[in-house]
Amino acid sequence: MIKNAFLSLKKNIGKTILLFVIIVVITNLVIAGLSIQSATQKSMDQIRSSLGNDVTLSVDFKNMMKNREPGEAVSNETSLTTTMADSLKNLKYVENYNYQISTSADSDSISAVETESDNSNNQQDTKKPNDQPEQASNQGDFTISANTTMEYLDSFTNSNYSLTDGRLLTSDDANTNNCVIETNLASDNDLSVGDTFTITTTVNDETIIQELTIVGIYEIQSTNEIGGAHFNNPVNTIYTDLSVGQTLTGSSENITSAIYYLDDPENAEAFVELAKKKSDIDFDTFSLDANDRLYQQNASSLESMQSFAKMFVWIVVIAGSAILCLILALTIRNRYYEIGVLLSLGQSKVKIIAQQLIEIGLIAVIAFVISLGTGQLTSHYMGNMLESSSSSNVMQMDQKGDQSNDNQQKNNTQTKENFLGNMMEGPSNQELDVSITGENVIQLAGVTSAICIVSIAVPAAYVLRLTPRQILSRKEG
């Protein structure tokens, strides 16, 4: 059979070349679709992982505003408590947690680092990082960021801030007056690790004085927040234990937010659903934010790309099979006499079909090997084309968003500005990695084999259902 297959391919060289070209095109398109599918999934996983595995529980002011009656004042008594936060810390998926209090204070013993906008009395607010929530309107010179631990704060884990001396605060610093300050603040006030200073604030008309001991000094490596009033300048942020924040706010129970660090970023949605089911927290007043806005924004375009690639593969497989079936059907018609003679001589129908499979299989193997090289180029071309289309759509959305932002800025909607700032802080969507993987090769082999079998079986089944006499009588047709 193999010898006959080689002889047949050599005899019908025109048909062989035509089949080879068609199968090369089909395999190239299939491998491109498969590689784009796997690349988009990989990109979604990378984006989700890069955004972190944290979920934040805080007061949902936006929802409170939406649910209030027209003219109704928004209650300023709504506060997140440690009791509420504790109800979630032991749930499934949670590996660690951090409670935060963000407030402000003044000091008679140290001076805040000034900026040019301070001297010009520019009090415009700027965006806060994720580990420094928004504060009240009456601000002191220093931002106080009180935490259960500093181990997982975004600014430090993403290397925007780096420790230059001493250490960061951990859960072992609970109920201590230890603190971590920025290197410029330390330099301006001639402070070093081990030194102490005091901060002051007023709660219910009572002045509170808190002494702090420096255990660490950090340096800001990258930020877009410098400017504005003292408290908006990140170099004037002082990190303390949660107990210090409770003292300065006059409440041993209230906190600003609770951040839960999950075992896997993929479990964020499952954790949110579980929290709503297991806790008594009013989620009309409080929200669990999975910090996945950027992921959802990018995932939408990536999922569309993935769906297109999947549909594209199916179209190529179906169309390719149909074309090959048609060509082989025409070819078999020209081989009626050969098939009829073989059947008359006692050759089994199975062997005849097997020879047909060997012939197209030999062509397919060569086309398959070649497509592993040329398919990479096709994948890159299609990936770039899809990315360009996706980028154009995103740019159009951004332009519409910019126009909307201009109108919002006129109305001084700081919440919107902070939201957009957080979006800009997220990692950018990198170029699709459309390199061919081992899984793609296996999938391509399976698809190619299926196409070859279908394209032979359909026309062969039509011809071989006839008797040798009927086949020979149709030779002239």
Side-chain angles (χ1 to χ4, degrees):
M1 286 190 298
I2 297 178
K3 181 179 179 181
N4 289 338
F6 274 110
L7 291 174
S8 178
L9 292 176
K10 185 176 180 180
K11 179 181 177 182
N12 302 286
I13 189 67
K15 181 206 74 173
T16 301
I17 294 175
L18 177 62
L19 290 175
F20 172 76
V21 171
I22 292 174
I23 295 177
V24 166
V25 172
I26 292 173
T27 52
N28 271 270
L29 294 177
V30 169
I31 194 67
L34 293 174
S35 60
I36 290 174
Q37 269 188 275
S38 60
T40 51
Q41 184 59 53
K42 189 189 302 181
S43 294
M44 286 192 288
D45 293 340
Q46 289 175 344
I47 293 173
R48 187 70 187 91
S49 297
S50 66
L51 291 177
N53 60 339
D54 57 296
V55 179
T56 303
L57 174 67
S58 59
V59 177
D60 191 344
F61 290 105
K62 181 179 179 180
N63 202 37
M64 290 173 62
M65 291 292 293
K66 184 176 67 175
N67 293 332
R68 74 186 180 96
E69 295 295 330
E72 179 184 358
V74 178
S75 173
N76 58 4
E77 300 297 325
T78 302
S79 299
L80 178 66
T81 66
T82 54
T83 301
M84 296 179 190
D86 285 344
S87 68
L88 304 183
K89 70 179 184 181
N90 294 319
L91 290 181
K92 184 181 179 181
Y93 310 122
V94 178
E95 286 194 333
N96 294 288
Y97 66 92
N98 179 36
Y99 297 165
Q100 294 184 330
I101 294 175
S102 183
T103 185
S104 64
D106 291 307
S107 177
D108 295 328
S109 60
I110 62 172
S111 300
V113 176
E114 294 188 358
T115 60
E116 182 178 350
S117 55
D118 290 331
N119 298 327
S120 62
N121 296 318
N122 179 4
Q123 299 296 314
Q124 181 181 359
D125 290 336
T126 56
K127 185 184 72 61
K128 295 294 180 188
N130 291 336
D131 44 286
Q132 298 176 30
E134 287 184 45
Q135 305 167 47
S137 58
N138 295 324
Q139 300 287 352
D141 285 343
F142 301 94
T143 294
I144 307 300
S145 179
N147 298 269
T148 307
T149 177
M150 293 179 65
E151 291 181 85
Y152 313 106
L153 296 183
D154 290 346
S155 295
F156 292 91
T157 57
N158 62 21
S159 299
N160 285 341
Y161 294 4
S162 64
L163 189 68
T164 58
D165 193 13
R167 62 180 177 83
L168 298 179
L169 300 177
T170 68
S171 55
D172 294 333
D173 292 289
N175 300 313
T176 68
N177 65 341
N178 295 337
C179 73
V180 176
I181 65 173
E182 207 274 337
T183 183
N184 290 287
L185 180 61
S187 176
D188 281 12
N189 291 279
D190 196 24
L191 297 172
S192 59
V193 172
D195 290 344
T196 62
F197 62 93
T198 60
I199 55 176
T200 62
T201 190
T202 301
V203 177
N204 297 325
D205 297 326
E206 179 184 351
T207 300
I208 297 175
I209 301 176
Q210 174 70 51
E211 184 179 70
L212 298 178
T213 300
I214 302 171
V215 297
I217 297 176
Y218 69 93
E219 181 178 14
I220 298 177
Q221 302 292 340
S222 175
T223 183
N224 60 352
E225 303 154 41
I226 293 179
H230 292 317
F231 60 83
N232 277 329
N233 192 336
V235 300
N236 291 321
T237 296
I238 301 173
Y239 291 90
T240 70
D241 172 60
L242 191 71
S243 60
V244 173
Q246 292 172 333
T247 298
L248 296 175
T249 57
S251 172
S252 61
E253 181 72 8
N254 294 344
I255 57 177
T256 303
S257 62
I259 304 175
Y260 303 94
Y261 301 94
L262 310 184
D263 53 1
D264 191 319
E266 294 295 327
N267 293 327
E269 291 185 12
F271 170 72
V272 172
E273 292 301 318
L274 183 63
K276 291 179 178 179
K277 181 179 178 181
K278 295 289 187 180
S279 72
D280 296 327
I281 297 173
D282 179 11
F283 286 102
D284 287 332
T285 304
F286 302 93
S287 66
L288 271 173
D289 183 5
N291 302 321
D292 61 352
R293 296 185 187 94
L294 184 66
Y295 171 75
Q296 297 298 338
Q297 185 186 50
N298 284 272
S300 177
S301 60
L302 288 171
E303 285 173 354
S304 298
M305 200 179 299
Q306 191 176 46
S307 297
F308 170 81
K310 186 175 182 179
M311 181 178 64
F312 178 78
V313 169
W314 277 108
I315 291 174
V316 170
V317 169
I318 294 172
S321 298
I323 293 171
L324 286 177
C325 283
L326 178 61
I327 293 174
L328 291 172
L330 294 174
T331 302
I332 288 177
R333 283 193 56 167
N334 295 328
R335 300 177 67 176
Y336 275 179
Y337 182 74
E338 176 188 343
I339 294 173
V341 170
L342 290 174
L343 289 173
S344 298
L345 295 175
Q347 184 79 275
S348 69
K349 294 181 179 180
V350 173
K351 287 187 176 181
I352 294 176
I353 295 177
Q355 180 180 330
Q356 301 289 324
L357 283 173
I358 290 172
E359 290 178 16
I360 195 169
L362 291 172
I363 299 173
V365 167
I366 300 174
F368 175 82
V369 173
I370 292 176
S371 69
L372 294 180
T374 57
Q376 186 74 62
L377 300 176
T378 307
S379 299
H380 278 293
Y381 174 78
M382 288 187 62
N384 292 336
M385 181 178 65
L386 290 171
E387 279 188 314
S388 298
S389 176
S390 177
S391 298
S392 298
N393 292 334
V394 171
M395 286 179 64
Q396 291 176 4
M397 291 175 64
D398 287 344
Q399 289 172 356
K400 294 179 180 178
D402 289 340
Q403 294 174 0
S404 176
N405 291 341
D406 289 340
N407 294 331
Q408 295 290 345
Q409 287 172 357
K410 292 179 182 179
N411 295 321
N412 295 319
T413 53
Q414 182 181 357
T415 302
K416 181 68 175 179
E417 292 171 2
N418 287 339
F419 171 78
L420 290 174
N422 289 331
M423 294 288 289
M424 294 302 293
E425 251 193 352
S428 58
N429 186 17
Q430 298 178 348
E431 181 181 352
L432 282 179
D433 179 14
V434 292
S435 55
I436 299 174
T437 64
E439 183 180 1
N440 295 148
V441 174
I442 295 173
Q443 290 174 330
L444 177 63
V447 170
T448 304
S449 300
I451 291 175
C452 291
I453 292 172
V454 170
S455 61
I456 284 293
V458 172
Y462 172 75
V463 174
L464 297 181
R465 67 185 177 85
L466 305 174
T467 64
R469 181 186 180 92
Q470 290 173 320
I471 293 173
L472 291 172
S473 66
R474 296 189 179 193
K475 174 181 177 294
E476 293 79 7

